[in-house]
Structures are given as structure tokens and as C-alpha cells.
Amino acid sequence: MLVINQNEVAELLAMESCITVMESVLKDLSAGQAIQSLRQVLPLHQGNLIGLMPGFLQGEEVAGAKIISVFPSNHGSGLPSHQGLVTLFDSSTGVLKAVVDGQKITAIRTAAVSAVATRYLAREDAEVLAILGTGEQAKSHLEAMLRVRSIREVRVWSRTLSKARYFQAEMSRKYGVDILVAESIQEAVNPADIICTVTASTEPVLKGEWLKSGVHINAVGACRAADRELDSETVRLAKLYVDRLESAHNESGDYLIPLNEGVITLGHIIGEIGELISGNIEGRATADEITLFKGLGLAIEDLAAANFIYNEAVKLQKGIEIAF
């Protein structure tokens, strides 16, 4: 068994490679070639939780699960909000092949999935990016968006102005892109062609009245039925795509709350990103349409990323081998 740590995950799973892996596995999921169970959640205190996410990649002959802690209460403590690991088993023999750090996988694959959605849904001429939030997902989403669109300007907003300014200084040096700190969310999103909401908020931070026509939104922060980052008007205005229909119907407050309010109907979701990749559903039809991708994070994404990392580790002799 290989143990692959966080630094090795960051070294072995480049964003460009992860985008390719996510595009392939999302297509497989919608085609029935990858299988997963709905995420099991064990609530803890103060809104924290432990999640179990099992899945099976038939084509790769691997199965396994991510076990992850989601601790919003860690914000401001110096500890990450998401921590965990991914187990990887050989599905033909049951042999445990690897245990891989889950925190860094989550950071990279979440943004890579948003990049896939952006590649298929954002306007080709999209050039202004707004990022709401300044944590690890904000950093990885910036890298991912730069991979799929020619971004000339980034606008970042945080509840803590000092965090936004630190993000501006660090990321503008790293990527050589113009980053502006917005004092309000409205200022950040008004001119945006692409918006990424990567906050820990449980209440709407993005309002439909602030959106310009033709914008594409990646909403990945809220992952429980009672939580949301988007107001109901945002969801009503947009063509809505999800990573998994079953997950959206059970876990997405961004979808379920406006549905329960009667603002949208059951048919509001166009379909899964995997179906869009396969050409089985329609994507953006006009330049003026508002498109929305709601990502909840899927077990098969973690497994596909872990399997790619494992194969790279074997090839490059990385990781620590343990006789388990």
C-alpha cells in the first residue's frame, strides 16, 4: 500500500491534468460507467460534520471512498475547513492500493470540475473573473479559470478586507494577472463574465439583480440542503447544470430552497455536466444567457484524482510503501 501525502498530491496532480481527468470521469458517471453512493453525513457540534463518499470506477477497476471532516468552525483558527483522506482499492482483488491525502485533492479537483463547466458553458470571450472568497478554493479556482479562459482582470471580495488584499498581492505575483479588491460583492460581480462563489456562507451572498447578461457562475461553497450562496433570483435567471442530479435533489440548498419557495420548478435543472460533455443536453445557446454550475463534490471525482495520483506515484517512485 502506498501512503501519498499532501505535498506529493500537489506535486503529482497538476491542474491541467486534473481538468482532463475530471472531464473524463464526469462523462463516465453520466454514462453509467462510474458508480457512487450518495454522500453519508454525520453531523457533529457547531455545524461541523464527517462525510463518507464511496464510489467505483469500472473502467479503471478501482473502488474506494473519501472520508472527510468539514469544519466551518475552523475558519480563523489557522486550520483548514476540509481535512481527510481517499482510500483506493483494486476492485478485482479487493487489495488496498493507496491512502491519499484528501485535503489537497479536494482543493484541486473542485476547481478542476468548475473549469470543465466553464469550458463548456462560459462565453468564449469571457475575460473578467469575480471570485467571492479568498480561501484555498479561491486560489485553486483562479488557477483553474486561467486554464480555460483568457482572463485579463480578476475581482476578489472577502468579508475581511485584509484577506482580500493579501490574496491580491500573492496571486498577482504568482500569475501576473490584474487583481482588484472589491469593497462590495456588487462591485465585484457587476462587470464579471465568470463568477466563482467559494465562500463558507450559509446565506445568500450573490443576488440576481447584480448579474450582467451572459455571465457564467460556478457555485461550489454550500453543500448542505439548508445552506446556500445564491439568492433565489440568481437561480431563477440561470440555466442550471449540476455535477450529479441525485446529489442536487438531496443536498443542494442553492437548488432546493428556491424550489420549495416555488420560484423554480422541478424541471429547472438542465442536466449533468457529464451529459453536456457527451452532447446529450444543450449548453449555452446565446451570448446573453446566464448559466450556472452547482457543484457539490462527488466521490468519483476524488477516486479519479486519487487513481491518477497513484499511477503517477508508482511511475515516479513517490509515496511511502507500507506492508499493511
Side-chain angles (χ1 to χ4, degrees):
M1 179 187 78
L2 276 184
V3 176
I4 303 172
N5 67 30
Q6 187 172 125
N7 290 335
E8 290 166 328
V9 169
E11 177 186 351
L12 297 171
L13 186 63
M15 181 61 73
E16 193 69 45
S17 298
C18 194
I19 292 170
T20 301
V21 171
M22 293 302 104
E23 183 168 357
S24 177
V25 77
L26 287 166
K27 184 178 178 181
D28 287 347
L29 179 65
S30 293
Q33 298 303 308
I35 301 169
Q36 65 171 38
S37 300
L38 194 64
R39 174 169 27 212
Q40 299 175 49
V41 174
L42 178 67
L44 304 176
H45 54 81
Q46 299 179 337
N48 303 318
L49 61 88
I50 297 289
L52 173 63
M53 302 166 63
F56 173 30
L57 305 180
Q58 293 176 312
E60 300 292 335
E61 294 190 334
V62 293
K66 180 165 78 170
I67 304 172
I68 191 165
S69 65
V70 181
F71 272 56
S73 62
N74 280 352
H75 288 288
S77 71
L79 292 171
S81 59
H82 291 65
Q83 302 172 78
L85 55 85
V86 181
T87 58
L88 199 65
F89 292 83
D90 185 318
S91 64
S92 61
T93 65
V95 170
L96 179 58
K97 299 172 68 172
V99 174
V100 188
D101 171 73
Q103 179 190 337
K104 185 56 72 172
I105 283 181
T106 301
I108 300 170
R109 65 83 163 143
T110 303
V113 171
S114 291
V116 174
T118 301
R119 175 178 284 164
Y120 282 87
L121 289 171
R123 293 196 331 265
E124 291 289 343
D125 62 352
E127 59 181 9
V128 178
L129 168 66
I131 302 176
L132 307 184
T134 53
E136 188 168 33
Q137 281 299 337
K139 295 176 182 179
S140 59
H141 270 75
L142 173 58
E143 179 183 1
M145 295 305 106
L146 291 171
R147 298 284 181 179
V148 293
R149 286 296 183 271
S150 298
I151 303 297
R152 66 167 178 80
E153 179 183 301
V154 180
R155 292 173 169 248
V156 62
W157 170 86
S158 172
R159 284 193 172 91
T160 307
L161 189 59
S162 60
K163 290 182 178 179
R165 287 176 174 158
Y166 183 81
F167 180 94
Q168 176 191 41
E170 182 184 18
M171 294 296 104
S172 59
R173 282 195 305 269
K174 184 172 183 178
Y175 295 112
V177 63
D178 288 334
I179 301 178
L180 306 176
V181 173
E183 294 187 3
S184 69
I185 298 172
Q186 185 173 1
E187 180 185 338
V189 303
N190 268 162
D193 303 310
I194 301 168
I195 301 170
C196 297
T197 64
V198 291
T199 74
S201 180
T202 59
E203 299 293 334
V205 294
L206 183 62
K207 295 186 177 181
E209 65 191 71
W210 298 336
L211 304 177
K212 78 173 190 179
S213 63
V215 67
H216 170 68
I217 304 161
N218 298 306
V220 302
C223 60
R224 293 181 288 191
D227 300 346
R228 59 174 172 166
E229 295 181 293
L230 317 176
D231 74 348
S232 296
E233 180 65 5
T234 296
V235 181
R236 186 190 70 81
L237 289 170
K239 293 178 71 171
L240 173 58
Y241 301 80
V242 297
D243 45 8
R244 188 62 168 166
L245 286 167
E246 180 188 26
S247 299
H249 289 308
N250 285 276
E251 299 174 345
S252 175
D254 281 311
Y255 166 69
L256 292 170
I257 294 171
L259 179 67
N260 292 333
E261 290 173 347
V263 175
I264 61 174
T265 64
L266 276 172
H268 192 70
I269 298 176
I270 305 297
E272 297 176 351
I273 288 296
E275 297 176 286
L276 181 60
I277 295 166
S278 299
N280 294 328
I281 58 173
E282 180 187 62
R284 173 179 292 276
T286 71
D288 292 335
E289 286 181 332
I290 294 173
T291 55
L292 166 61
F293 168 64
K294 176 57 195 175
L296 287 160
L298 303 177
I300 53 96
E301 297 165 0
D302 296 304
L303 283 177
N307 190 52
F308 177 87
I309 292 163
Y310 171 79
N311 289 330
E312 290 294 296
V314 170
K315 183 167 58 179
L316 300 172
Q317 296 185 316
K318 299 287 185 177
I320 298 173
E321 191 169 353
I322 294 175
F324 189 64

